Amino acid sequence: VQQSLVLNSRAKEFIDSAIGKELSLFTTDPVTGIKVRVRFDLLGNGILGDIKTTKDARPEKFMWSISDYMYHQQMALYMDAYKWETGEELDKAVIIAIENEAPFTTEFLVMDDIALAIGRHEYRKNLNKYAECLESGIWSHYDGMGEERYISLPERDILQYEADKEQ
């Protein structure tokens, strides 16, 4: 993994030049008054950086990890928390995706404006709901909680299986 990182000069340069590594920031959401803590993996030169290990760092594959693990919400919240506390905006958010399996590739991925806008919308909705629950003391649950429910795989996996069977 370390060798892969060295081979990606852009990722290595950013990590080496980051002024802050593993920095915690405690601030308050100006809309809800909720106290927020974020932890930056990397911060420097107007860039927020996060290091993620993954099976597949190719953008067309890693975008599923962004969606599944809500990295877009995390990055948008981190950027906003930085602005709430400092009054300054960060220029961009990047993910350094490092494969933990062969071929151990490292990708330097810049999160685009659409992903950040959706992330901002989603974290705001969730933070507002959290504030409502704190205030009311009423916490919602999943529909059908306690009932027997069937579960399968995501549609993309089923479609891939069907395509593989046809070959």
Side-chain angles (χ1 to χ4, degrees):
V1 172
Q2 186 71 17
Q3 183 180 7
S4 168
L5 190 55
V6 171
L7 293 175
N8 186 311
S9 60
R10 182 64 184 110
K12 184 178 179 333
E13 175 187 320
F14 176 60
I15 291 170
D16 290 345
S17 69
I19 56 171
K21 296 176 180 161
E22 297 186 13
L23 297 173
S24 291
L25 172 68
F26 298 85
T27 190
T28 302
D29 172 27
V31 175
T32 63
I34 297 291
K35 298 212 178 299
V36 175
R37 180 188 73 85
V38 298
R39 186 155 175 90
F40 304 107
D41 283 351
L42 301 162
L43 191 61
N45 303 319
I47 302 172
L48 161 64
D50 207 40
I51 298 173
K52 302 291 186 194
T53 56
T54 184
K55 285 176 61 174
D56 196 330
R58 292 176 293 174
E60 64 273 14
K61 298 292 185 175
F62 192 74
M63 73 172 149
W64 293 102
S65 293
I66 291 172
S67 177
D68 290 347
Y69 299 111
M70 300 177 279
Y71 295 152
H72 59 306
Q73 289 185 50
Q74 173 194 352
M75 299 301 263
L77 174 61
Y78 283 21
M79 291 180 85
D80 287 354
Y82 183 86
K83 184 177 179 183
W84 300 336
E85 191 62 26
T86 68
E88 299 173 14
E89 288 194 27
L90 294 169
D91 298 324
K92 61 183 161 185
V94 301
I95 294 176
I96 298 172
I98 304 172
E99 292 179 349
N100 53 13
E101 297 179 3
F104 302 104
T105 299
T106 297
E107 290 284 349
F108 187 85
L109 306 169
V110 180
M111 188 144 317
D112 71 14
D113 291 340
I114 294 169
L116 288 170
I118 293 170
R120 186 166 285 113
H121 170 78
E122 291 176 356
Y123 95 67
R124 172 55 50 209
K125 184 172 58 173
N126 293 333
L127 199 53
N128 290 347
K129 181 67 175 173
Y130 177 68
E132 288 174 24
C133 291
L134 277 178
E135 187 175 316
S136 70
I138 299 170
W139 300 83
S140 59
H141 302 281
Y142 301 122
D143 292 337
M145 188 177 89
E147 298 174 13
E148 177 178 285
R149 299 190 290 171
Y150 289 92
I151 189 166
S152 189
L153 294 171
E155 184 178 358
R156 68 179 185 233
D157 294 347
I158 295 168
L159 293 173
Q160 182 63 52
Y161 166 74
E162 290 172 352
D164 289 349
K165 279 185 18 179
E166 292 176 5
Q167 294 179 354

